[in-house]
Structures are given as structure tokens and as C-alpha cells.
Amino acid sequence: MPQHPEPPPRDRAALPPALADVQVVVFDVFGTVVDWHGSIVREMAVRWPQVDGHAFALAWRAGYQPAMERVRNGSRPWTVLDTLHREVLDEILPRFGLGHLDEAERAHLNRVWHRLDAWPDSAAGLQRLRQRLVVGALSNGNIGLLTRMAKHAGLPWDCVLSAEVFHAYKPLPAAYLGVARVLDVPPAAVLLAAAHHDDLAAARACGLRTAYIERSFEYGVAQPKDVSPQPGNDLHCHDIAALAAALGC
């Protein structure tokens, strides 16, 4: 992958008013801060090398939104993501010849989501942002998952705001507005950074500022994403270091 030199910070006094008013930066986590696909592929290569790790990771992730949608639309009560991940895992294991795994093996594999590795720029970029701003996670992951992930990956959050706090999976407005409420700031003082345009669009609809983070290889090097800028976002950044620089950090 090409190397990008760390950009210097902008003068905060020169920031546009919309960005100068930002006090809190919250991040989508899966794909934006941590490499879920690569982490699962590496796990499979070590434990079950006969399995196509790329296909396995994509199949597991494909169950993510449908499982949450059943909670969002009220067809099932609030359920944490660890449980939803496990249900999807149990469903796909036979497809990959792993239907024989016992409970201990299934439980350990399900916790791979607690052991995801960060993108190379993530920890340093978050630390740089924390020099001036409150920095947190805003993820559909549950609190236990996100806390153990931060410990594993060295993510220096000021706070972990999970959908579990609000009992609302993104993109429900309660998740985005909940950040402003619990941190006692106006929605416009919160910026969401994410590698997913649908997440950012939902945040903007709630009055948050938004920054797109390019993660071309979220789905692996064999399946690069289109990371072209789209209208509406306040910032479009190659990585978290570039976001920090753009915010004067």
C-alpha cells in the first residue's frame, strides 16, 4: 500500500466555523478504526487453514445488518451484538465445513470480534485528536466487545458509546443524538468519522458534522472499495491522521 506522510495540523483559528465548533469526535469502529476483515482472515488461517477466510469473513459480516434490523424494527427485543454475531456464526459454520465445532470453539471464535486489529494509523491518530477534542467510539458493538477490543488494539478512547447505551442500533437517530445528550453538547458540536456513507448520511440528518475516512481495503485487497468523495460530508480524509490535521490537532 502507498505510504502517506503524516499531514501537519491546520491552524484551528482558520477552520471553517462548522468545524471550529466541533468539541467531540466519535468514530464508527468496524472497518473505520479496526480491520475486521483482515483480522478474521488471519484468525481462520491460523486455526482452520482449510477454510477460505475471505469468504468466511464476508459471509459472517453479511448477517450483520439483517440481524440488527430485526431489533431495530421491533420484531425482537433489544439484543447485544455479541449474541447476534453468535447466531450468524452458528448459521454459517456448516456451510464452511465447521459444523462440528463444540461450544468452547464456537465461543472463542465468536470473540474474534473482541480481538480485531486496528488499522496502522488508528491509535496514533486517535491520540493526536485527543490533544484538543473528546474522542470516542460510536459503534453497534456492545460495551464489553468494544472495551476488550480497545484493550487488544491499543485504542485510546476517552469514552465508549455503544448502541447498547441507547438501545438503538445505528442508523436510528437515537444513537447519534444520544452522543450529544450524554456529553451535553449540541449535535453540531459532534463530528462522526466513518468509512461508510450511509452512517454519515444518517448522522447528518441528526445535525452532526461528518468526515469520511478512506478504507479502500475494508473487504480485503481482492475487493477494494470505491472511496471517492461524496457531497454532504464536511471532510474527506485518507486516514485518521489526516482527520486530526484537518481539525487542527
Side-chain angles (χ1 to χ4, degrees), residues 140-219:
N140 286 329
N142 45 287
I143 295 170
L145 182 161
L146 295 169
T147 300
R148 293 183 180 94
M149 179 201 295
K151 192 77 168 175
H152 169 82
L155 302 175
W157 302 121
D158 289 316
C159 58
V160 170
L161 294 175
S162 159
E164 185 180 3
V165 175
F166 312 115
H167 279 202
Y169 281 122
K170 296 185 296 177
L172 290 178
Y176 307 105
L177 295 174
V179 176
R181 176 174 55 81
V182 300
L183 293 178
D184 194 24
V185 295
V190 180
L191 181 142
L192 174 69
H196 311 112
H197 286 295
D198 54 349
D199 197 0
L200 296 170
R204 282 196 303 277
C206 293
L208 277 64
R209 302 300 177 184
T210 58
Y212 182 75
I213 307 296
E214 295 180 3
R215 295 302 187 196
S216 301
F217 302 115
E218 177 181 357
Y219 298 96

Side-chain angles (χ1 to χ4, degrees), residues 95-116:
R95 195 188 317 168
F96 291 91
L98 296 176
H100 63 279
L101 296 190
D102 64 20
E103 173 57 30
E105 291 172 310
R106 290 171 186 241
H108 180 79
L109 179 53
N110 197 53
R111 287 193 294 271
V112 70
W113 296 94
H114 298 205
R115 303 187 296 272
L116 301 181

Side-chain angles (χ1 to χ4, degrees), residues 56 59-60 62-64 66-67 70 76 83-99 106 110:
F56 186 87
W60 202 352
Y64 175 70
R70 290 188 285 274
R76 70 179 295 180
T83 300
L84 301 181
H85 275 155
R86 174 60 190 269
E87 291 172 357
V88 178
L89 176 64
D90 287 341
E91 180 183 332
I92 68 170
L93 283 174
R95 195 188 317 168
F96 291 91
L98 296 176
R106 290 171 186 241
N110 197 53

